[in-house]
Amino acid sequence: MDFNINRLILLDALTKVSRAVSLKSPLPILTGIKFDLLEDGLVLTASDSDISIQTTINEGIIINQTGSVVLSSKYILEIIRKIDGETVHIQVVDGTLTRITSESSLFDLNGSKSFDFPRIDLNKNGKHFSMKSYDFKKIIEKTLFATSEQETRPVLTGVNFKVDQHKLVCIATDSYRLAQVSMPIEDDIQFNIVIPKKSLNQIIHIIEKDEMIDLYVSDRKVLFVIGQYLVLTRLIDGTYPNTSRLVEDQGSYTMSINSSALLGAISRASLLSDEQSNIVKLTMSPDENVLSSYSQEIGSVEENLTKAFYKGEPMTISFSAKYLADAIRSIGTETIQLRFTEKMRPFQITGLDVNDNIQVVLPVRTY
């Protein structure tokens, strides 16, 4: 293997592909990136068994001799990041010993044989649909934060993607809050899958421009085609809980308020709340709406929500300040609406007269 390549082009590709590398992998070969130099370009592949990322570089490269090798992700990335010059020369000089040279530097890096790298099926099989990359990124950013961090219920550590009747619905919940975003799609297909949080987090970092993404959904995996990048991720086994009741329950009482005003009030009210629970109390009536918190050790605070408009019977409800703030930021509209049923029933947060992004927060019992 022998080639010259533009350093920045290689660095960008290595940075994105290396997102699939786990330095704690039980298979040492998977801590590396596979270099496949073909006659028409350089193919870079990385995998941790759960997610695999591959890209092909066709520009800014001069191919002298084809070949392949697996190089440590940690070291090759740092070498290409710090080496001088616009162009880098990479050559396998002896077995798997790989020489990386530039204007004033020479590195000899021990590699591994490429046939030890697991074979990854990146064929475009399964149910296919397309969507704009920025739409996909926006959906993930508005749901990913609500996934569970606990492995006790693995299915909740991912985002549920449901497609039916030309509509995509994405749901995430950790049992204490829920985020649901929906959008129409052109493709007439059906599926119901759960994609791991980690995989989605890596995918949104690969998206840099507004282009079409192709998805190929199979029983146990889904393949994303994003420009020159192929991303294959396993799916989480198990049935995602039915959350439709939480979303369909519209609530009898409503509060409308400016998003920035409520975020500011939440930030101030939670200053004196217990750091672990971060619980605040909302007391509502048609005449006055107050957000407050109390800590026996620290003190108390009250925020009068003068810009809030409440319709319904007087009600007091307690909840996590962080969960409500996350929901408001996810919705991203100037005005939001909160819909309540009872003091111990989940309440909804949406944009005013907009239902494509529904957030749900569960209240907490305080004494």
Side-chain angles (χ1 to χ4, degrees):
M1 186 179 81
D2 187 337
F3 65 99
N4 296 74
I5 190 167
N6 179 284
R7 186 182 70 86
L8 293 180
I9 290 175
L10 178 59
L11 178 61
D12 181 59
L14 287 172
T15 301
K16 291 174 181 171
V17 167
S18 66
R19 291 188 170 277
V21 175
S22 172
L23 298 180
K24 298 178 181 178
S25 174
L27 289 175
I29 194 75
L30 292 184
T31 63
I33 295 174
K34 183 181 178 184
F35 283 63
D36 266 323
L37 187 62
L38 309 177
E39 291 183 356
D40 57 348
L42 173 65
V43 180
L44 300 173
T45 309
S47 177
D48 70 353
S49 298
D50 289 334
I51 180 173
S52 303
I53 302 176
Q54 183 179 95
T55 189
T56 302
I57 301 174
N58 307 110
E59 298 179 354
I61 185 170
I62 298 173
I63 299 166
N64 304 316
Q65 184 179 349
T66 60
S68 61
V69 71
V70 178
L71 299 176
S72 163
S73 170
K74 175 183 176 182
Y75 292 112
I76 188 61
L77 190 56
E78 283 303 302
I79 289 170
I80 301 303
R81 180 179 285 126
K82 294 180 179 180
I83 204 167
D84 290 330
E86 290 185 9
T87 304
V88 178
H89 179 219
I90 298 179
Q91 178 186 18
V92 175
V93 292
D94 182 16
T96 58
L97 181 65
T98 304
R99 181 162 291 168
I100 303 118
T101 56
S102 190
E103 289 181 352
S104 58
S105 304
L106 183 152
F107 291 86
D108 280 343
L109 183 62
N110 289 319
S112 302
K113 293 179 179 178
S114 61
F115 60 71
D116 291 331
F117 200 87
R119 186 180 179 277
I120 301 165
D121 182 8
L122 292 167
N123 290 320
K124 298 173 183 178
N125 300 322
K127 297 178 180 178
H128 169 254
F129 82 104
S130 304
M131 64 187 299
K132 290 184 177 179
S133 59
Y134 279 8
D135 286 342
F136 181 81
K137 191 172 185 178
K138 189 182 298 182
I139 285 174
I140 300 310
E141 289 172 343
K142 290 178 179 296
T143 55
L144 203 62
F145 66 89
T147 55
S148 176
E149 300 291 338
Q150 305 297 322
E151 294 288 343
T152 50
R153 294 187 67 187
V155 75
L156 297 186
T157 62
V159 177
N160 181 212
F161 283 69
K162 291 193 292 188
V163 171
D164 192 17
Q165 297 181 342
H166 296 281
K167 185 178 182 182
L168 168 65
V169 180
C170 294
I171 304 167
T173 182
D174 60 4
S175 297
Y176 301 101
R177 58 176 167 178
L178 177 143
Q180 175 178 301
V181 179
S182 57
M183 64 171 288
I185 64 168
E186 293 183 3
D187 302 272
D188 185 17
I189 58 172
Q190 284 183 311
F191 60 79
N192 187 344
I193 60 175
V194 183
I195 303 178
K197 175 180 182 176
K198 176 189 172 184
S199 299
L200 294 170
N201 210 11
Q202 308 306 353
I203 290 167
I204 62 174
H205 283 94
I206 291 174
I207 296 171
E208 289 185 339
K209 58 184 178 181
D210 197 7
E211 57 188 345
M212 295 303 292
I213 292 182
D214 290 298
L215 289 85
Y216 296 86
V217 180
S218 304
D219 291 339
R220 304 180 68 87
K221 60 187 179 180
V222 55
L223 175 70
F224 294 83
V225 182
I226 310 166
Q228 291 287 93
Y229 288 85
L230 302 177
V231 183
L232 182 72
T233 174
R234 71 170 181 87
L235 301 176
I236 298 177
D237 292 330
T239 303
Y240 205 80
N242 184 0
T243 60
S244 57
R245 184 178 57 82
L246 291 173
V247 175
E248 291 166 0
D249 192 355
Q250 295 292 313
S252 309
Y253 314 131
T254 61
M255 172 189 282
S256 300
I257 186 171
N258 177 273
S259 297
S260 298
L262 184 52
L263 280 172
I266 291 170
S267 177
R268 292 185 293 272
S270 59
L271 279 173
L272 301 186
S273 66
D274 181 88
E275 286 187 12
Q276 285 188 324
S277 59
N278 202 217
I279 301 303
V280 295
K281 181 170 70 173
L282 181 58
T283 305
M284 299 167 287
S285 73
D287 301 321
E288 185 180 45
N289 299 283
V290 177
L291 190 68
S292 61
S293 70
Y294 169 76
S295 170
Q296 188 172 356
E297 293 81 12
I298 306 170
S300 63
V301 58
E302 287 190 358
E303 279 282 327
N304 202 318
L305 304 178
T306 55
K307 296 184 178 181
F309 176 76
Y310 178 73
K311 181 180 178 182
E313 296 294 323
M315 177 185 288
T316 298
I317 190 167
S318 298
F319 49 84
S320 163
K322 180 183 184 306
Y323 287 179
L324 180 57
D326 287 345
I328 295 168
R329 294 189 190 99
S330 168
I331 291 165
T333 58
E334 183 177 353
T335 304
I336 60 163
Q337 185 174 74
L338 286 73
R339 301 170 183 164
F340 305 91
T341 305
E342 299 174 10
K343 64 181 296 183
M344 288 312 298
R345 291 282 299 277
F347 62 95
Q348 288 186 15
I349 308 98
T350 65
L352 193 63
D353 301 322
V354 180
N355 284 313
D356 61 347
N357 184 349
I358 300 174
Q359 305 285 320
V360 179
V361 173
L362 273 67
V364 297
R365 192 179 299 278
T366 55
Y367 297 94

